[in-house]
Amino acid sequence: GQQLNQSPQSMFIQEGEDVSMNCTSSSIFNTWLWYKQDPGEGPVLLIALYKAGELTSNGRLTAQFGITRKDSFLNISASIPSDVGIYFCAGPPRQIQGAQKLVFGQGTRLTINP
Amino acid sequence: DSGVTQTPKHLITATGQRVTLRCSPRSGDLSVYWYQQSLDQGLQFLIQYYNGEERAKGNILERFSAQQFPDLHSELNLSSLELGDSALYFCASSQNTGELFFGEGSRLTVL
């Protein structure tokens, strides 16, 4: 089935550092979504991208939809302790009205040393 | 608060038993999705309903079934439970924009 390859799997950084993670697919996606999951909670949508080449920011977060439509990256600037968590990329491999399951990457686990 | 409500938050049961997980979507959302997340794993898509009808199916076991009711809430039924079914089960809803909003999950422990 459709798979998203997310890297790195884990990151250990110092507070204040910038973070970059990416997601690739073997097939074209029309939408890229980035979620964050805190321990024991549900994923929360951070950024949604709908157009190839689109660059979108949400505070210290910036994400881009790759022009090939097969990749996306997420950057976090000046990391703070509350950025700790697991970041997932996701996308619908096929978009038909009413049928929009999302497939998720394996996640990037971010750990921040104060 | 995503607006998606899941109950129960925690459930402990024995092998061979059957449980029902419940989800109330965000107001106005017609689509409901169920995902399974095992320990330190990613999110595995189980099934999607749109306005009461099944629309997409993932790797859902035959022992599992779901439905969406006229008021749009959904239930996921897990039967003949096995130890490996222990996981977090998430419900999500959407307005068909591609953006899913997740509940806080139901943590199932099978002993």
Side-chain angles (χ1 to χ4, degrees):
Chain A
Q2 301 284 345
Q3 281 198 336
L4 295 180
N5 296 311
Q6 198 171 338
S7 65
Q9 287 189 351
S10 59
M11 303 183 74
F12 298 84
I13 64 168
Q14 299 292 324
E15 184 178 349
E17 286 185 21
D18 296 343
V19 171
S20 184
M21 60 191 79
N22 68 74
C23 199
T24 61
S25 169
S26 57
S27 58
I28 288 173
F29 278 64
N30 292 323
T31 301
W32 284 94
L33 306 171
W34 285 93
Y35 285 84
K36 182 192 178 207
Q37 185 178 23
D38 290 329
E41 298 186 13
V44 174
L45 182 63
L46 300 174
I47 291 179
L49 302 161
Y50 293 102
K51 202 160 56 168
E54 180 181 356
L55 185 71
T56 297
S57 293
N58 178 6
R60 292 177 297 104
L61 277 60
T62 302
Q64 184 158 29
F65 192 144
I67 56 172
T68 66
R69 293 199 281 163
K70 292 184 178 182
D71 63 338
S72 176
F73 71 75
L74 175 70
N75 288 341
I76 305 172
S77 63
S79 58
I80 60 177
S82 62
D83 291 334
V84 166
I86 304 177
Y87 292 80
F88 291 100
C89 61
R94 186 177 67 164
Q95 206 148 355
I96 296 174
Q97 186 68 20
Q100 291 177 325
K101 71 171 190 176
L102 286 184
V103 292
F104 282 78
Q106 308 97 312
T108 294
R109 183 182 295 273
L110 180 63
T111 303
I112 297 177
N113 300 316
Chain B
D1 183 5
S2 67
V4 178
T5 304
Q6 286 188 249
T7 57
K9 286 194 172 10
H10 301 277
L11 193 54
I12 301 174
T13 189
T15 55
Q17 295 297 305
R18 171 191 168 93
V19 298
T20 297
L21 309 180
R22 181 188 167 100
C23 170
S24 294
R26 292 188 319 160
S27 176
D29 286 358
L30 298 179
S31 283
V32 169
Y33 307 74
W34 286 96
Y35 282 82
Q36 180 193 55
Q37 186 178 40
S38 300
L39 188 63
D40 287 338
Q41 297 289 312
L43 291 137
Q44 299 299 317
F45 171 72
L46 295 178
I47 199 163
Q48 179 211 359
Y49 281 83
Y50 176 78
N51 203 21
E53 293 185 3
E54 181 185 307
R55 280 302 177 98
K57 215 165 185 175
N59 298 323
I60 186 167
L61 300 172
E62 285 191 11
R63 299 183 286 108
F64 296 0
S65 65
Q67 54 185 324
Q68 186 179 27
F69 294 87
D71 66 352
L72 300 177
H73 91 270
S74 178
E75 293 182 354
L76 179 66
N77 300 298
L78 314 175
S79 61
S80 302
L81 285 168
E82 302 175 359
L83 296 177
D85 297 328
S86 296
L88 269 167
Y89 291 85
F90 287 104
C91 170
S93 73
S94 80
Q95 285 191 342
N96 242 23
T97 61
E99 298 175 20
L100 268 58
F101 294 86
F102 284 80
E104 294 190 348
S106 293
R107 182 177 294 278
L108 173 66
T109 302
V110 182
L111 301 176

